[in-house]
Amino acid sequence: MPDQIAPSTPAPTPSVLRKAVAADISRLLEIEVGSFATDRLTRRSFKYLLSRGHAVTLVETEAELITGYVLVLLNAGTSLARLYSLAVAPDRRGRGIAQRLLAAAEAAAIEQGSAYLRLEVRPDNTEAITLYKRAGYREFGIYDDYYEDHMAALRLERRLIPTTDPPRSPDLPTVPYYSQTLDFTCGPAALMMAMKALAPMLDLDRTLELRLWRESTTVFMTSGHGGCGPHGLALAAWRRGFDVELCVNDDQALFLDSVRSEDKKEVMRLVHEDFLGEIAATGIRVHHRTLTAVDLAAAVGEAAIPIVLISSYRLYRAKFPHWVVVTGADDRFIYAHDPLVEPDQHNSALDRINMPIARKDFEHMARYGKALLQASVILRTRPRS
C-alpha cells in the first residue's frame, strides 16, 4: 500500500509594495471606512494628494488587492516630512503590514531628502502608539482639539539620519509656537515667539499681534497692508525690555521695489527715517552685515533667539518677504518656526514647528528680492542695570 502523502500547505501570497494611483481610490476609501470613525480622508482629498508633487502614497497589495496604505507629505524647502495617514484593512491586521508600510514611508522620506518624519496620533489609539514607539518615535508635544471629536493629538517624531551634535542643552530656551492670524503679520508672530521664549509669562494673543504690527509696519507693500521691517520689529522688542541686535546688509529704506507709486515710496522712506531716529536713541546694536548659518547657530547656542527675513519662494513657490524664528541648530540643519499655516494645503502647525532646513539652503533662503536683502533681529534677555 503506497504511503499516504500529506497535502501540501499553499504558499502564502507574496505582498507587493507600490505607489498608489488614481484607480486605487475606491479601495483606499473602503480601508478608510473600516479604519476610522471620524477624520476620514475623502475621495477629493485622495485625488488631490495622489496628484500633488509634495506627497507620496504607497500601498501594499496581496494578489493585487490593496491591504493597507501610507501617505507622507513632504515640505518643500525643508528636510521635514509628515506621516499624514496610515491604515490597514481590518481583515488583514496582525500580519506586519503596518510595520512594513511605516518602514516604506521612512525610506521614501529619506529618498526625498527628509531628515525627520513627524505624525499625529490619537491618545486612545494604543496599538498605533506602540507601533510608532517601537520604531523609535518620541513624543514631543500635544495638539489640543485636533480631531473632529475635539480629542487632542499626540505629536511624535523620529530623526531619520544621525547627527554628530550633542543633545540640546536644558539651559537653552524652548521657543513656543504662535501661528499668524493675518496674511501680513508674520513679523509680529515671529517676534512674539522669540519674546515668549525669553519671557515665558508673556501672553500671546491677537491684540499683541496687531499692536506689534502697528508699531513695525512699513505701511505699504505690493498690495494690501504693509508688512513689517527689521527696524520696526527691533524697536518693538526693545520697548518691551529685550536686548536687541539688528543685522541688515542695507542701510537704505527697504522694500521700495515692492511698490510702484512714488508717493508710496516716499511714505516708506519717511517711515524708515523715523525708525532710524528712534533706534539712535536706544541701545539697539545695528550691524550692516549678514549673518551666516554659523553665526545663527552660535547665537542660538548662547541662548539668543534670532528672527530672520527669508524669501518665501522655496517654501511656498511665491515670492514675498517672510519672517521665521530660528529655534535651534546642529551640524547639518538650522531649525525654524514658520508662523504661516495653510490648512487648505493639508498642513498644520506640526509642519511649521522646528522645521529642519539644511544650512546652505537656509542661507540661500535668507535673501529677499533683487537686492538680496538680508536681515535678522536677535533677541536676548536684557541685563539688569
Side-chain angles (χ1 to χ4, degrees):
M1 184 175 181
D3 292 337
Q4 186 174 3
I5 301 175
S8 59
T9 302
T13 303
S15 61
V16 175
L17 186 75
R18 63 171 173 81
K19 286 189 176 181
V21 296
D24 298 327
I25 291 178
S26 293
R27 175 57 178 167
L28 296 176
L29 290 170
E30 291 177 7
I31 295 175
E32 283 289 292
V33 171
S35 300
F36 306 113
T38 62
D39 299 273
R40 294 171 181 156
L41 288 172
T42 64
R43 180 178 294 275
R44 181 178 179 181
S45 294
F46 272 121
K47 186 176 180 180
Y48 169 75
L49 292 167
L50 286 178
S51 62
R52 186 184 181 198
H54 294 292
V56 175
T57 304
L58 303 172
V59 296
E60 183 167 309
T61 66
E62 292 178 10
E64 299 187 0
L65 178 68
I66 295 174
T67 57
Y69 82 87
V70 65
L71 198 160
V72 178
L73 300 183
L74 305 167
N75 280 351
T78 79
S79 296
L80 176 65
R82 178 181 172 203
L83 198 157
Y84 192 59
S85 187
L86 188 157
V88 175
D91 62 342
R92 302 302 174 99
R93 293 174 186 167
R95 303 185 183 185
I97 296 173
Q99 291 93 325
R100 292 193 292 273
L101 287 170
L102 180 58
E106 293 174 350
I110 292 172
E111 184 178 353
Q112 295 295 323
S114 298
Y116 287 83
L117 187 59
R118 293 179 182 169
L119 59 92
E120 307 99 348
V121 62
R122 293 174 63 95
D124 58 0
N125 192 345
T126 55
E127 187 175 353
I129 293 171
T130 299
L131 167 69
Y132 296 132
K133 290 194 172 180
R134 283 179 177 171
Y137 288 78
R138 67 174 186 87
E139 185 179 333
F140 72 97
I142 296 176
Y143 199 126
D144 292 328
D145 196 18
Y146 181 79
Y147 293 102
E148 289 179 5
D149 60 1
H150 304 293
M151 178 174 279
L154 299 182
R155 294 168 165 175
L156 275 65
E157 171 186 82
R158 184 183 177 201
R159 180 160 183 147
L160 303 177
I161 60 174
T163 177
T164 59
D165 274 12
R168 179 184 175 90
S169 168
D171 297 329
L172 297 179
T174 299
V175 181
Y177 185 77
Y178 182 86
S179 174
Q180 67 188 79
T181 64
L182 296 164
D183 291 342
F184 49 86
T185 54
C186 59
L191 182 59
M192 289 163 69
M193 290 187 267
M195 293 192 301
K196 178 78 170 178
L198 299 173
M201 298 302 291
L202 180 68
D203 291 328
L204 305 186
D205 55 30
R206 292 195 78 188
T207 299
L208 178 59
E209 182 182 358
L210 289 170
R211 184 178 295 130
L212 291 170
W213 174 76
R214 293 200 313 269
E215 294 178 30
S216 310
T217 181
T218 58
V219 182
F220 294 113
M221 288 295 283
T222 306
S223 62
H225 298 287
C228 294
H231 300 83
L233 291 169
L235 278 167
W238 176 266
R239 294 186 191 111
R240 286 160 179 80
F242 295 94
D243 178 80
V244 182
E245 187 174 1
L246 172 61
C247 296
V248 59
N249 67 341
D250 191 341
D251 61 356
Q252 302 300 311
L254 309 179
F255 308 122
L256 291 181
D257 57 356
S258 68
V259 298
R260 296 180 180 178
S261 166
E262 286 301 323
D263 289 340
K264 290 182 178 180
K265 289 183 178 183
E266 180 60 22
V267 170
M268 294 171 70
R269 291 189 187 97
L270 290 173
V271 170
H272 180 70
E273 291 172 5
D274 188 42
F275 282 155
L276 292 180
E278 290 189 65
I279 286 175
T282 70
I284 296 173
R285 300 180 302 285
V286 181
H287 309 288
H288 292 121
R289 65 181 183 87
T290 60
L291 291 184
T292 66
V294 173
D295 295 328
L296 291 170
V300 171
E302 296 169 356
I305 310 293
I307 66 173
V308 180
L309 182 72
I310 67 168
S311 171
S312 62
Y313 185 77
R314 288 175 179 247
L315 294 177
Y316 302 107
R317 295 298 183 262
K319 295 180 180 179
F320 55 88
H322 189 55
W323 290 95
V324 298
V325 190
V326 173
T327 60
D330 61 25
D331 57 322
R332 294 173 61 103
F333 301 103
I334 295 292
Y335 297 85
H337 285 357
D338 179 355
L340 181 58
V341 175
E342 300 176 300
D344 59 332
Q345 298 297 315
H346 293 271
N347 63 51
S348 70
L350 186 77
D351 304 300
R352 300 295 179 242
I353 294 173
N354 291 325
M355 302 184 308
I357 304 171
R359 288 189 174 209
K360 183 179 293 185
D361 291 341
F362 190 88
E363 289 185 345
H364 285 293
M365 193 180 293
R367 303 170 183 173
Y368 177 72
K370 295 179 180 178
L372 299 179
L373 171 64
Q374 296 175 282
S376 303
V377 180
I378 303 174
L379 272 62
R380 296 179 175 86
T381 302
R382 191 183 299 178
R384 293 184 179 180
S385 56

